[in-house]
Amino acid sequence: MCGVVGYVGSKQAADWLLDGLSTLEYRGYDSAGVQVVSQSGNLHGVKCAGRVATLRERASVANLNGTCGIGHTRWATHGAPTDRNAHPHLDCTGRIAVVHNGIIENFQDLRRELMAAGHHLRSDTDSEVVPHLIEDALAGPAAGDLARAVRNACERLEGAWALAVVCADFPNMLVCTRKGSPLVVASTEDGAYAASDVMPLANVTSTVMQLNDYDVATLSADGSVSIVDRDGVVIDHPSTITIDWDASAATLGGHPDFMAKEISEQPEAIERLLSGRLGEHGVELDELSLTRDELAAVDRVVIIACGTSYHVGLVAKCAIERWARVPVSVEYASEFNYNQEYLVTDHTMCVVITQSGETADTLAAARRMRGMGCNVFAITNVIGSTAAREADGALYIQAGPEVAVASTKAYTAQMVASYLLAMRLGFANGHMTREEVGRRFAQLETIPDLMREVLSRRWQDKQASRLFRDKHSSLFLGRNVSSTTAYEGALKLKEISYQHAEAYPAGEMKHGPIALLEPGFPVVAVVPADHVHDKTVSNIQECIARGAVVIAVATDGDERVAKLCQEVLWIPQCADELIVPVVAVLHLQLLARYVARDRGFDVDKPRNLAKSVTVE
Ligand code: AGP
């Protein structure tokens, strides 16, 4: 969702701002803009609906000289994605410019009040009230003090915001603040930077500062950053994050797109995650803030997540229930937050799964669970993300930056992370012996090579992708833990190929979705060698009897499936049924990508989607 960048220093601001916005494109957006303060004390800006590439073209013919500025990629919430609604937004005098990520929930009241007082608002956005509130503060109680004016303005806001503000009267200053929405700042020798996440900053620094809710940071041209809290008290030692990956990790490195790159990075991501995890306590999970006794007492686990991370939760449920014998519920965060009657026990543990660590629904759910007295454990990819900071404990999956909107390597790494948690719980409560933990861990260690094998068979996915040509819909089926692979496969296909795909537990097909079947209708059946194999084969036969074209994901050597199905995406033998979802899904990621490419779509930036969904 919206991306914010800001710079003040010795270099031309527009160059870095545009590059920063390109780096933030992965978050998802529909319009973009930049505003620069010239040394003569004027604001110059360009903004437009569409891509950052279009903004670059406009910027190249505009006078954007200046060493201080802000930029924005907008994901429309209030008001259509038009030039007029694109950020930055200005006050009445045209001397204050603001970019915003989040939602100002009381904007209608503020807008009415501002207009009644004579302010002229030009857009349909909620964000535009902010520069006008700052204008009033600068003209009154915070005269001559931009940081204070921003603080005063924020006192009027309800909702969530990450703001970057420049003013023509302060050509060497950038003011930033946040509440709820992400924002980090950095101090370097050639200036000070602000951004929604660390991605644009990776090539200028390895250390960024985090802002707490309501903190206000003043960034100066000499590169210094000073931060005050809500009460104006100076924060001498803000918490910092070290960017532990090279900036090249967020570049294509020879791959045609980020999705292809991230799919191929999965074996190494799992190796990193498992490295050094086997030890005295079975699985070493120091990130948990619970003692062994507290872990042993956990009598219920509630997993909360959205989208692909929710699918991880479904697999995690199987592992935790099977290995630790603790009942698990898996909830969509957006639903959980409005379930008024949610019941927890005294020993309920909450696990939130979120690649970005910034998904608004998931954060709200985690806060609610903490409010109900539960210990909250976050499984996330982004170091220093809000989910990690607010949880009682956080396990970083170390998958490296995931740039493509469609999650791939984070999905499989999160699954394996949840297996580590299941083993730690099972060992603590006595349901798993040290030997069993060792045996299971050795099975997890086979995953990277199994993945490599699937990746070497990508031609099978390319071949199968032609069966989706000119189709409008498809059905994905699987039983037990493989139904989760079907859900994830269908989600991937929908996200990037814009082709409808419905996923169902295979046995449920006859209760409704079977009506969709007609000659040529594509069905993807996940049918590995497991205890429900024969049942799923029966469902495949039901599909074929109605003329459907079945593409199976099956285990090497399965002659029966090979004879029945049009195409088979083969996976190697896996040591346990719970290894299969981590391996088999690679075929469905590849399949979705080939279908999308075949249809001519940008697989990294699917329409309407955002990488980090920071609004509820
Ligand atoms: C995944 O391909 C999707 N883009 C989406 O479903 C995503 O998983 C969901 O928005 C949750 O994101 P999170 O893991 O960052 O919380």
Side-chain angles (χ1 to χ4, degrees):
M1 286 200 160
C2 303
V4 168
V5 286
Y7 170 75
V8 56
S10 53
K11 302 185 296 188
Q12 281 298 314
D15 298 339
W16 184 80
L17 294 173
L18 289 164
D19 289 347
L21 291 181
S22 296
T23 315
L24 289 180
E25 281 188 293
Y26 82 102
R27 294 171 69 87
Y29 72 104
D30 42 49
S31 45
V34 288
Q35 200 88 35
V36 165
V37 190
S38 71
Q39 281 304 315
S40 55
N42 289 304
L43 289 185
H44 301 284
V46 283
K47 54 185 192 171
C48 60
R51 294 292 192 199
V52 173
T54 313
L55 184 73
R56 270 185 199 277
E57 279 165 26
R58 295 200 186 177
S60 66
V61 292
N63 172 24
L64 293 185
N65 286 325
T67 54
C68 173
I70 52 178
H72 191 258
T73 46
R74 172 172 187 252
W75 189 88
T77 57
H78 298 70
T82 58
D83 288 8
R84 189 167 56 87
N85 289 331
H87 297 213
H89 289 290
L90 307 183
D91 71 322
C92 294
T93 66
R95 298 190 66 72
I96 301 165
V98 173
V99 290
H100 166 229
N101 171 25
I103 289 182
I104 308 298
E105 287 166 1
N106 59 337
F107 84 99
Q108 266 162 331
D109 292 342
L110 292 171
R111 196 179 161 91
R112 255 193 304 274
E113 182 188 314
L114 286 162
M115 289 174 79
H119 284 269
H120 184 49
L121 281 80
R122 306 168 186 90
S123 79
D124 310 316
T125 67
D126 54 328
S127 312
E128 196 188 357
V129 296
V130 180
H132 294 272
L133 291 171
I134 296 172
E135 177 189 354
D136 278 355
L138 268 180
D145 186 343
L146 183 60
R148 194 190 181 110
V150 171
R151 238 171 70 217
N152 285 6
C154 289
E155 279 165 15
R156 303 292 320 279
L157 306 180
E158 289 166 18
W161 56 86
L163 298 168
V165 182
V166 290
C167 174
D169 301 325
F170 304 88
N172 296 310
M173 182 188 290
L174 167 66
V175 176
C176 300
T177 185
R178 71 175 283 262
K179 189 223 144 194
S181 300
L183 194 70
V184 289
V185 294
S187 162
T188 76
E189 276 179 9
D190 60 15
Y193 297 81
S196 289
D197 62 44
V198 298
M199 298 281 263
L201 302 175
N203 58 5
V204 293
T205 182
S206 58
T207 308
V208 300
M209 290 172 247
Q210 295 182 299
L211 300 181
N212 292 316
D213 278 355
Y214 300 104
D215 285 355
V216 176
T218 303
L219 284 63
S220 305
D222 62 4
S224 63
V225 173
S226 77
I227 302 175
V228 295
D229 70 10
R230 188 177 196 167
D231 302 317
V233 176
V234 174
I235 299 176
D236 287 323
H237 302 290
S239 65
T240 58
I241 316 173
T242 303
I243 305 174
D244 62 356
W245 40 269
D246 194 75
S248 64
T251 62
L252 283 172
H255 292 269
D257 48 72
F258 281 104
M259 187 174 184
K261 179 177 183 243
E262 288 155 12
I263 289 173
S264 74
E265 287 172 344
Q266 292 178 95
E268 291 72 35
I270 303 300
E271 277 166 356
R272 258 196 315 276
L273 177 58
L274 293 178
S275 161
R277 287 286 173 187
L278 195 59
E280 192 191 331
H281 302 100
V283 163
E284 298 293 341
L285 216 50
D286 294 346
E287 295 89 341
L288 280 166
S289 59
L290 295 173
T291 62
R292 181 171 177 164
D293 287 347
E294 287 168 332
L295 274 177
V298 169
D299 58 3
R300 189 173 170 209
V301 174
V302 176
I303 299 178
I304 307 179
C306 300
T308 286
S309 294
Y310 174 83
H311 298 156
V312 175
L314 297 177
V315 178
K317 172 181 165 73
C318 298
I320 296 171
E321 292 187 340
R322 197 175 296 176
W323 297 343
R325 313 295 299 165
V326 178
V328 180
S329 349
V330 190
E331 310 290 346
Y332 283 116
S334 53
E335 286 294 301
F336 166 83
N337 290 333
Y338 301 98
N339 176 347
Q340 293 171 323
E341 309 301 335
Y342 209 81
L343 301 176
V344 294
T345 64
D346 285 348
H347 299 286
T348 296
M349 175 182 189
C350 170
V351 180
V352 290
I353 305 176
T354 165
Q355 185 281 136
S356 63
E358 301 294 348
T359 301
D361 286 321
T362 308
L363 295 178
R367 287 170 195 143
R368 183 173 176 212
M369 283 303 262
R370 285 197 87 201
M372 287 157 84
C374 295
N375 185 279
V376 174
F377 183 63
I379 296 178
T380 184
N381 192 27
V382 179
I383 297 178
S385 57
T386 306
R389 294 167 68 195
E390 293 187 359
D392 298 294
L395 172 58
Y396 292 114
I397 57 169
Q398 301 171 66
E402 192 179 65
V403 177
V405 165
S407 183
T408 53
K409 61 178 178 174
Y411 177 61
T412 48
Q414 287 177 151
M415 264 190 277
V416 174
S418 74
Y419 289 178
L420 296 177
L421 173 65
M423 288 157 76
R424 183 74 192 92
L425 268 176
F427 186 66
N429 68 17
H431 283 286
M432 279 183 107
T433 60
R434 191 182 300 275
E435 291 65 40
E436 194 181 354
V437 170
R439 192 172 61 79
R440 295 270 175 218
F441 193 85
Q443 291 175 347
L444 298 186
E445 288 180 315
T446 65
I447 291 172
D449 280 343
L450 296 170
M451 287 175 151
R452 287 187 184 101
E453 186 55 38
V454 171
L455 292 172
S456 76
R457 302 175 184 191
R458 63 179 70 217
W459 59 270
Q460 297 169 357
D461 308 292
K462 186 163 193 182
Q463 189 165 299
S465 67
R466 70 191 157 81
L467 297 173
F468 292 79
R469 226 169 255 169
D470 306 323
K471 301 290 190 242
H472 298 293
S473 185
S474 57
L475 185 59
F476 283 63
L477 302 174
R479 278 178 183 257
N480 277 195
V481 76
S482 289
S483 62
T484 309
T485 309
Y487 299 150
E488 178 59 11
L491 179 68
K492 286 283 95 74
L493 189 68
K494 271 183 286 216
E495 280 188 296
I496 59 170
S497 77
Y498 316 148
Q499 192 176 86
H500 175 253
E502 180 142 355
Y504 251 79
E508 275 295 299
M509 178 183 66
K510 55 188 172 295
H511 299 290
I514 198 165
L516 293 170
L517 301 183
E518 58 183 358
F521 188 91
V523 173
V524 176
V526 187
V527 55
D530 60 12
H531 73 285
V532 286
H533 174 268
D534 292 356
K535 300 274 178 210
T536 315
V537 170
S538 302
N539 301 129
I540 291 176
Q541 266 157 338
E542 290 159 9
C543 296
I544 291 170
R546 286 157 184 86
V549 168
V550 179
I551 300 110
V553 180
T555 309
D556 284 350
D558 190 336
E559 294 298 327
R560 222 167 126 207
V561 166
K563 279 197 193 106
L564 278 175
C565 300
Q566 186 104 4
E567 294 286 350
V568 184
L569 312 173
W570 293 107
I571 58 165
Q573 296 281 348
C574 296
D576 185 86
E577 290 186 11
L578 282 176
I579 302 297
V580 174
V582 192
V583 175
V585 76
L586 270 63
H587 269 307
L588 301 188
Q589 296 168 348
L590 290 162
L591 179 68
R593 180 177 168 276
Y594 282 122
V595 174
R597 299 256 301 182
D598 202 30
R599 292 160 73 93
F601 297 130
D602 177 347
V603 295
D604 288 340
K605 297 188 214 69
R607 68 184 180 203
N608 302 336
L609 291 178
K611 183 72 185 164
S612 175
V613 184
T614 52
V615 295
E616 284 187 50

